[in-house]
Amino acid sequence: MKDFIKRIAYRKRSQKVAAFYNHWSEKFMTITDTFQGFRTEKIEELHEYTIRAADLRNEDVVLDAGCGVGGPAFYFVRRLNIRIYALSNSAVQTRIIEARKKAEGVENITVVKGDYHRLSSIFQPDFFSKVLFLESLGHSYHPQKALKEAFKVLRTGGALYIRDLYIRKTDAPEVALEVNRLVEKANETFVYNHVTVEKILNLLRIIGFSIQSFGIPNVVPKSIDHEFKKKLGISPPEGIAFAEPFEIKAVKPSV
Ligand SMILES: C[S@@+](CC[C@H](N)C(=O)[O-])C[C@H]1O[C@@H](n2cnc3c(N)ncnc32)[C@H](O)[C@@H]1O
């Protein structure tokens, strides 16, 4: 019974995230086609960085889990001879990507509307050589399930790359209080669920991933939050830095 209620709560949560993006995606696109808060001034630099950090290579079969309107995916398929499955739970986003594919004559992106907590019911086991979560896993209220599902659809030797914003760590109680207050506000605004990076690293280990590396992404960041605030009236809460970026690279080992 408990599990049943939990499942309904998770589904509702995922629907709330989808509704958020159904409402905002076209508005966000008036500013950028890449919905990542941690970014570089020129977005191409971030995409180039992701190619290197996630070790994307020709012939890869890539799952872009939580693909937004496809900003990263369109860049990657132009740069490399790869196939990308662009997955989003937002019907508006999948429609936007389909339209752009058609307009630009792009064939090696397959658009999929679905929930990343249910990957194994959408894709064959051992299907992908790479799985990416680019500021998308942080929407999950059940990251363990999403990561377990990613494990199933990854090939042995395949790699998972996660880049996200995590709750800032501090041992000063007054700073921790303020961090929590701002995290809650940001979670509410963006239908997010910030967690600590340690939580995700632990889950990966429990699931059976072999962690290759993790750390702060090596780029020069440049926020464009002010543009969102000015143009659309939506932005992360101001004040102390409450979240910090981390990237994690993990591999599905052979047993
Ligand atoms: C902050 S945006 C990042 C988008 C994209 N990675 C980019 O760089 O532009 C988060 C994305 O995750 C997707 N998402 C969130 N929860 C999801 C879920 N349960 N299943 C599939 N997609 C999800 C959202 O629809 C949105 O596309």
Side-chain angles (χ1 to χ4, degrees):
M1 188 64 184
K2 246 188 176 171
D3 279 358
F4 176 71
I5 292 169
K6 263 192 184 165
R7 268 208 302 278
I8 294 195
Y10 294 143
R11 197 167 312 144
K12 278 232 155 82
R13 164 80 199 177
S14 188
Q15 285 164 355
K16 205 174 161 196
V17 174
F20 174 85
Y21 284 103
N22 286 341
H23 174 77
W24 283 105
S25 290
E26 278 169 347
K27 299 175 181 77
F28 288 169
M29 275 176 78
T30 62
I31 299 172
T32 176
D33 70 358
T34 300
F35 301 167
Q36 295 179 47
F38 177 78
R39 54 176 289 143
T40 48
E41 184 164 17
K42 289 197 186 107
I43 199 62
E44 299 75 25
E45 284 172 15
L46 184 69
H47 296 326
E48 284 297 328
Y49 178 79
T50 306
I51 289 174
R52 290 194 303 277
D55 192 23
L56 300 185
R57 292 162 185 238
N58 288 333
E59 313 305 330
D60 265 337
V61 181
V62 180
L63 172 64
D64 185 356
C67 61
V69 293
F74 280 98
Y75 189 89
F76 300 151
V77 295
R78 289 234 154 76
R79 269 278 281 104
L80 296 164
N81 179 23
I82 57 179
R83 169 147 298 274
I84 297 199
Y85 288 76
L87 176 92
S88 168
N89 59 354
S90 155
V92 169
Q93 292 188 336
T94 53
R95 234 179 286 136
I96 289 169
I97 302 175
E98 286 291 7
R100 181 167 170 190
K101 266 183 66 179
K102 210 168 158 200
E104 297 181 14
V106 170
E107 286 181 355
N108 40 355
I109 295 179
T110 304
V111 187
V112 185
K113 183 183 170 297
D115 187 334
Y116 57 47
H117 299 95
R118 306 189 67 248
L119 291 174
S120 65
S121 61
I122 307 172
F123 302 105
Q124 295 296 315
D126 309 316
F127 188 70
F128 295 104
S129 58
K130 304 276 160 61
V131 173
L132 309 175
F133 284 92
L134 303 174
E135 283 192 31
S136 54
L137 188 61
H139 279 291
S140 175
Y141 253 56
H142 199 347
Q144 181 163 11
K145 177 141 178 65
L147 293 172
K148 249 188 188 171
E149 291 287 291
F151 190 87
K152 289 183 197 165
V153 299
L154 250 184
R155 295 175 196 163
T156 301
L160 170 74
Y161 178 77
I162 306 169
R163 191 170 60 232
D164 222 318
L165 293 158
Y166 296 97
I167 298 175
R168 173 185 164 184
K169 286 164 296 258
T170 170
D171 56 8
E174 64 283 4
V175 178
L177 264 178
E178 185 60 359
V179 164
N180 287 341
R181 192 181 73 78
L182 295 174
V183 161
E184 269 181 34
K185 228 171 152 185
N187 286 346
E188 182 70 28
T189 305
F190 294 100
V191 202
Y192 226 66
N193 182 33
H194 288 89
V195 294
T196 61
V197 70
E198 284 75 20
K199 173 169 176 159
I200 300 299
L201 291 168
N202 277 338
L203 291 178
L204 290 170
R205 289 186 190 109
I206 291 165
I207 290 164
F209 279 103
S210 161
I211 293 167
Q212 302 289 290
S213 61
F214 68 95
I216 297 173
N218 187 16
V219 295
V220 180
K222 176 90 170 72
S223 166
I224 59 165
D225 289 350
H226 59 282
E227 285 187 49
F228 283 84
K229 189 175 177 196
K230 195 169 156 212
K231 206 163 174 186
L232 304 173
I234 183 170
S235 63
E238 283 165 19
I240 59 167
F242 60 88
E244 46 198 2
F246 271 99
E247 62 185 354
I248 304 170
K249 190 158 173 224
V251 165
K252 177 172 173 175
S254 49
V255 275

